[in-house]
């Protein structure tokens, strides 16, 4: 088994596209209208509101009943913040400053952990509240 794509539920697809374009420093390489936007590194954005609009208009033409039932199932937990995405960079100090200067989301302070080995990282929050961890070599 291999990892296919990690996709993130987004509330405002246009805002999220701009955030991830700046974060990843690339344009999306594929998009299905405003429903699905794919970046080259196996990260995709999924706009659930797109499906909701279509289900309300034509529920039996594009989706089976199992999909519709699952779509509206209330699990009691939000769809975001269930996973932390970890991105590795070559120069953590540079990336930290780059993202702070872009002012695209809340950026934490640089954090250090040394349980089994030295580990530097910081977090940035995307427009839907997802935590993205950025790590890499850090020279003090």
């Amino acid at each position: 088994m291999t990892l296919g794509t990690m996709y993130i539920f987004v509330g405002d697809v246009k805002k999220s596209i701009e955030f991830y374009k700046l974060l990843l420093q690339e344009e999306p390489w594929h998009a299905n209208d405003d429903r699905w936007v794919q970046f080259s590194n196996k990260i995709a954005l999924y706009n659930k509101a797109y499906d909701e609009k279509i289900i309300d208009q034509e529920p039996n033409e594009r989706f089976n009943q199992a999909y519709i039932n699952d779509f509206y199932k209330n699990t009691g937990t939000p769809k975001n913040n269930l996973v932390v995405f970890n991105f590795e960079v070559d120069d953590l100090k540079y990336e930290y400053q780059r993202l702070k200067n872009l002012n695209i989301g809340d950026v934490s302070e640089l954090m250090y952990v040394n349980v089994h080995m030295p580990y530097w990282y910081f977090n940035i929050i995307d427009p839907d509240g997802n935590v993205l961890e950025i790590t890499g070599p850090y020279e003090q």
Side-chain angles (χ1 to χ4, degrees):
M1 183 182 306
T2 60
L3 178 64
T5 300
M6 298 171 286
Y7 57 95
I8 303 166
F9 285 73
V10 299
D12 183 331
V13 70
K14 290 180 182 6
K15 189 174 182 179
S16 293
I17 289 170
E18 289 307 310
F19 174 89
Y20 282 94
K21 281 171 42 176
L22 292 169
L23 177 76
L24 301 172
Q25 300 179 62
E26 68 174 80
E27 294 291 321
W29 66 268
H30 180 74
N32 290 338
D33 299 318
D34 283 341
R35 181 183 191 266
W36 184 267
V37 179
Q38 179 78 46
F39 290 88
S40 66
N41 63 357
K42 296 190 176 196
I43 295 275
L45 309 177
Y46 167 58
N47 179 13
K48 187 175 180 178
Y50 188 95
D51 283 7
E52 186 170 29
K53 185 170 74 173
I54 293 173
I55 288 171
D56 289 344
Q57 293 173 357
E58 45 191 74
N60 297 316
E61 293 181 26
R62 296 190 188 200
F63 307 102
N64 71 4
Q65 193 60 47
Y67 178 86
I68 294 168
N69 292 344
D70 186 66
F71 185 87
Y72 286 115
K73 182 174 27 177
N74 182 356
T75 62
T77 57
K79 295 284 186 192
N80 60 355
N81 288 328
L82 300 177
V83 175
V84 173
F85 295 94
N86 174 275
F87 293 90
E88 296 180 1
V89 297
D90 292 330
D91 183 340
L92 190 62
K93 187 183 282 188
Y94 170 82
E95 193 64 19
Y96 180 75
Q97 198 57 54
R98 183 183 79 83
L99 292 175
K100 286 200 60 95
N101 290 343
L102 286 173
N103 198 28
I104 59 171
D106 292 331
V107 177
S108 74
E109 297 297 319
L110 281 164
M111 293 178 260
Y112 175 74
V113 176
N114 190 355
V115 176
H116 297 289
M117 62 180 219
Y119 186 80
W120 284 92
Y121 73 100
F122 67 92
N123 294 326
I124 184 168
I125 310 300
D126 81 358
D128 290 286
N130 295 298
V131 176
L132 309 173
E133 180 180 285
I134 317 294
T135 187
Y138 179 74
E139 297 293 326
Q140 292 185 346

